[in-house]
Structures are given as structure tokens and as C-alpha cells.
Amino acid sequence: MNNPYDLIIIGAGPGGYEAAFEAARLGLHTALIEKDSLGGTCLNRGCIPTKTLIHTAGLHDEIRQASRFGISSGSPILDMQAVQRHKADTIASLQKGIAARLKAAKIDVFYGVGTLTGIETLSGPGDKAEPEQQSLHCVRITDADNSVTMLKASHILLATGSMPSVPPIPGHDLPGVMTSDELLSYGGEPFESLLIIGGGVIGVEFAGIWQAFGTKVTILEALPSLLANLDRELGQSLKLSMKKKGTDIHTGAAVQSLTRTEDGICCSYLEKEQTQTVTAQAVLVATGRRPYTQGLFAEGCAPATERGRILTDEYYETTIPGIYAIGDVIGQVQLAHAAAAQGLQAVRHIAGIPDSTAPLLIPSCVYTTPEIASVGMTLDEAKAKGIAAASHKVLSSANGKSVLTLQERGFVKVIYEEDTHTILGAQMLCARATDMISEFTEAIHHHLTLEDLAEVIHPHPSFSEMIAEAVRI
């Protein structure tokens, strides 16, 4: 049993390791436990590998269309094994960077499954009649060789992330039916056809990758639109763009079953009360993710949960005092940057530092072509809250950088209060949207008006000029 820590963090994804860095900066003796590899889902099976493939797919698409810019080239040859090597090299490089930072911050790192086993109460040097007591949470670490290490800490932070959620569709376990984890590691020849069940962020990003690789892609989405949790116009515009490139999209389509046939995997689905079928070489099930808590709690040691997600208060503390949880495991916003921000707030509360408990302003990004980004309220959300709001939209077809780079038609839309012109939200469908959304995020955070943002000079030509145009009404 090592000396007690101030904080033990279970899970070394962005939420966990960023919280560890903040804890070390604040002088907390900190340990970080990871069952697999540094970086968690984001670095190993999520954000980074997906965006690496998206970048590769974008290059492949640009080379195929180089003649539009006056450049003659042959058809690009796709080597999926080389693509996978580049992805692996990218992950390894970033893991080394995280490991170096953890070492420099003097954070102890343990590899294995971390399990909360209970609370130990110690008597301190208080008054003999009423000795001071300290409660320490006990954690058991079981490594790959089944060796066990025991740690104690006054505080625990759970940042164990999530895993793909696969609905009980008959045939979901057939060979060739994959989650994003398996598809990210695929190194064989490009599929002739790919069926994607789910039109959320994961589904549309993978659709863009494989469509650019020359695969015939079909999306089945049960809800009425793609990206149903974002502004309706974003999902509608993306659907038109993807269909123009050849992606077959069916919304309001409820999958019934998957069966293996001589031609591939046949999917039966219900659309407009009619049974339809589509056959593909492979199937991606992209129907969301669920909190990962496997092996996390010994019997009787779990805090309150609801539908699998760990419940917390405004400080991210669970129903067990001293145990906190952040990120996907609490099921609020499943984004790496959200987990990192929540981790900072939780650590500051643990350290006794006054910090705002206001809801975090979290931008959402979708790495399609064109990119999608959103932050704050949509116009419908603002009106639903009784706010007298309006919107102003500018099209990318009038933006010099968009035109000269032959970008697809897109837009930047800003939502604002009618009387004060205070910026409430923004939605973007254009090149570099995921980079530019931070300008609107900062504006909303600081309660800026359209006029405030209009005073900022944007370079010409640039994609960011669309922001300047959007806030001039």
C-alpha cells in the first residue's frame, strides 16, 4: 500500500490527463490509472484516429479532383495498410507527448483496471476525546498479469469514458458488422459498399471517409434528420451535400434485422411503413456510445447511477462524498473537450478553489466536408426560452477564400437578441468551421454584441471573413 494520494484519477483520456495536470499544478499528490493506453478513447479509438483518416480521405479526394485546379494527375492509389501505419504513428507520437508531460509533472501512472473497493477511516492527531478522522478511498489496480496494487486517496475522479452502444438488432454480431472501434483498425481493401446504421456524428464522419475512398455508402437513420441534436438546417444541408456526392441516405428508417447472403449483409428496415432492404459488403453500427463502468466498482461501492450514467452535482461530485466523475461516464456531453473542461472544474473544487459552476459553453464540431460547428443556442431554442431572438446568415458563395478553393456551398449563421444584439449562438457549415467556431464561443462567453465582434478586423482573403459579414446587419 503506497502512501495516500490527494487524488486518484481512473481513466487517462483527455478528461483524466488534463485533470491530472491541473491537480499537479495545484500541488495535489496525484496518481493516474489507465487500463489500456494513454489518451483513452479519444486518442486510441476516437477523435485522433478518425480525424487522421478524414485528413487522408480529404487528400485522396483532392488528388482525384486536381484537374479542377489545372493539375493533371493519375488516379490515386489507396494503400489501407499504409494508411493504418500513418494512423498508428500519429497515435504513438501523441502518446509519447502525454507520457513526457506526466513525467515532468511528477504524476504517478499505473496501468491496469482500477476498481473502487471501499472507504477506510483513519484517526488523526486530534483531541483524545474526539480524534480527527480522515476518510480514504481504496482502489485496487489489476494489471494484465493479474498482479494487484492497492492505492488510497482522499479524493477519486472517475474519467473512464464510454464504449460503442450496439442495439439488439438480430444479426448485429455477424462477421462484417462492426462498431467504430473495429472499422478504425480495418486495413484491408476498400469496401465496395458500406451500410452505416446511424446518422449522428460518428455515422456521417465515417460516411465521408469511405465515400472519398470510392465506397458506395448508405446511411439509415431512425430519426427524421441527420445530426438530429443540432440545428435542423445543418442536418438538411449536410444531407443534400452528401447525396450530391453519391451517398444514399434514408431518414425515418428503422432497422429490423441483418442477415448474411451470398451478396453480402442484407439489412431489412422499415421506412414510411414499408419494409425495404439494402445489401452491403460491410456494416457499421454507429448508434451512439454508453458509459464505460466495467470493473470500476466492487460490490456495494458504486455511487448512484441512472440508465448507466453516473450521477453528479454541479461540482461533478457523485453521491459518495469525495468521489467525482466527468466526461462520457456521466453521459451529459460526450466530447473530449467537454470532459477536459469538466475535469478542470472538478479538480479546482477538490483543491478548494472557488470556481464557476455555470453550465459550460461547449462547441460541437462535425468533421465532414464541409465542416460543421455549432455553439450556444439555435434560433428555435432561443424562442422556446421566450427570448426575442433573430438570426443573420451569410453564404460562403460570396467568400473569396471559399470560391478560390472551390469549396461547397455553405453558410455562417449567428443568433442574437433582437433588442440588445447580444450574441446567443452560431451555426456554421463551411471550410474550417471547426477552427473558427472558437471566435463565436468567446463572444458568447463574454456576452459580446454583434457590434463588438464587427469591430474585429479579419484578414482578406480568409474563411473567417464570413464571421465579420455575419455580424454586420
Side-chain angles (χ1 to χ4, degrees):
M1 179 74 71
N2 291 358
N3 291 330
Y5 287 90
D6 296 315
L7 174 64
I8 293 175
I9 300 170
I10 303 179
Y17 68 71
E18 290 293 351
F21 292 139
E22 180 70 358
R25 186 184 70 83
L26 295 174
L28 301 180
H29 185 208
T30 303
L32 181 64
I33 301 172
E34 170 55 46
K35 70 177 180 62
D36 187 9
S37 302
L38 292 178
T41 294
C42 175
L43 179 51
N44 295 282
R45 298 171 300 281
C47 313
I48 297 301
T50 304
K51 277 56 181 181
T52 302
L53 294 185
I54 287 172
H55 182 70
T56 299
L59 288 175
H60 187 272
D61 210 33
E62 281 192 62
I63 294 170
R64 284 197 301 120
Q65 302 183 62
S67 60
R68 299 170 69 200
F69 297 91
I71 301 173
S72 298
S73 64
S75 298
I77 299 173
L78 183 67
D79 183 342
M80 285 302 297
Q81 291 187 356
V83 169
Q84 288 295 333
R85 286 195 296 272
H86 170 60
K87 185 199 78 174
D89 289 344
T90 301
I91 293 171
S93 177
L94 291 170
Q95 284 175 339
K96 289 179 182 177
I98 295 170
R101 291 180 63 195
L102 290 168
K103 183 178 180 180
K106 295 181 172 56
I107 296 165
D108 294 337
V109 180
F110 298 85
Y111 289 94
V113 175
T115 303
L116 294 177
T117 60
I119 299 174
E120 179 178 302
T121 302
L122 302 178
S123 296
D127 183 86
K128 291 184 179 181
E130 295 184 11
E132 183 181 345
Q133 293 186 331
Q134 180 185 13
S135 294
L136 295 177
H137 298 278
C138 301
V139 178
R140 181 181 66 239
I141 305 171
T142 308
D143 67 15
D145 298 323
N146 285 323
S147 296
V148 172
T149 301
M150 297 298 296
L151 302 180
K152 295 179 183 178
S154 51
H155 297 89
I156 304 292
L157 178 62
L158 308 176
T160 49
S162 61
M163 61 186 297
S165 177
V166 179
I169 301 168
H172 73 273
D173 53 352
L174 287 170
V177 179
M178 297 170 280
T179 67
S180 57
D181 286 358
E182 291 86 43
L183 188 53
L184 277 172
S185 300
Y186 179 77
E189 291 298 313
F191 305 114
E192 292 182 6
S193 55
L194 175 67
L195 169 64
I196 298 176
I197 301 174
V201 174
I202 296 172
V204 297
E205 288 188 350
F206 274 97
I209 292 169
W210 287 95
Q211 188 278 326
F213 287 164
T215 296
K216 171 61 179 176
V217 177
T218 301
I219 297 177
L220 300 180
E221 168 54 51
L223 295 175
S225 64
L226 298 180
L227 302 174
N229 61 325
L230 297 180
D231 180 80
R232 287 179 297 174
E233 189 174 7
L234 295 173
Q236 293 167 351
S237 298
L238 179 64
K239 182 178 180 179
L240 291 174
S241 173
M242 296 181 75
K243 291 185 73 170
K244 183 179 177 182
K245 297 173 186 175
T247 302
D248 189 18
I249 300 172
H250 299 265
T251 53
V255 174
Q256 302 298 299
S257 65
L258 297 168
T259 55
R260 170 65 69 176
T261 69
E262 292 183 358
D263 298 323
I265 301 172
C266 179
C267 176
S268 174
Y269 64 97
L270 198 63
E271 184 178 21
K272 296 179 180 179
E273 301 182 354
Q274 297 292 320
T275 299
Q276 309 285 347
T277 61
V278 60
T279 299
Q281 184 182 354
V283 175
L284 168 65
V285 180
T287 50
R289 300 181 66 86
R290 58 186 175 85
Y292 186 89
T293 57
Q294 184 176 338
L296 186 55
F297 306 111
E299 187 175 353
C301 297
T305 61
E306 183 178 86
R307 297 181 180 177
R309 68 183 187 93
I310 298 174
L311 298 178
T312 67
D313 64 13
E314 68 271 28
Y315 301 105
Y316 304 102
E317 191 168 15
T318 70
T319 53
I320 299 178
I323 297 180
Y324 294 70
I326 59 166
D328 289 9
V329 78
I330 66 174
Q332 295 178 1
V333 182
Q334 293 183 331
L335 295 171
H337 50 281
Q342 292 166 357
L344 297 183
Q345 284 193 341
V347 167
R348 289 166 188 162
H349 185 255
I350 290 168
I353 298 174
D355 193 37
S356 171
T357 58
L360 294 169
L361 181 63
I362 302 170
S364 297
C365 297
V366 188
Y367 294 79
T368 47
T369 302
E371 291 184 345
I372 290 173
S374 178
V375 69
M377 300 182 196
T378 65
L379 184 59
D380 288 344
E381 289 170 343
K383 289 183 176 180
K385 292 183 178 182
I387 300 173
S391 67
H392 184 227
K393 182 173 71 173
V394 297
L395 302 179
S396 60
S397 56
N399 174 257
K401 192 70 176 287
S402 297
V403 174
L404 69 90
T405 55
L406 300 181
Q407 298 295 322
E408 294 186 48
R409 182 187 176 100
F411 62 86
V412 172
K413 181 166 61 174
V414 60
I415 314 301
Y416 59 93
E417 287 186 357
E418 282 188 306
D419 54 349
T420 66
H421 289 182
T422 299
I423 299 172
L424 301 173
Q427 293 85 48
M428 309 173 77
L429 176 82
C430 60
R432 303 293 186 270
T434 61
D435 297 309
M436 296 191 293
I437 195 64
S438 294
E439 191 166 345
F440 279 119
T441 306
E442 186 169 5
I444 298 169
H445 178 77
H446 291 290
H447 307 288
L448 300 185
T449 64
L450 298 176
E451 290 78 9
D452 291 329
L453 200 51
E455 292 178 359
V456 177
I457 298 174
H458 294 76
H460 174 78
S462 69
F463 295 116
S464 66
E465 286 180 288
M466 287 183 282
I467 295 175
E469 290 296 323
V471 295
R472 296 190 186 113
I473 61 171

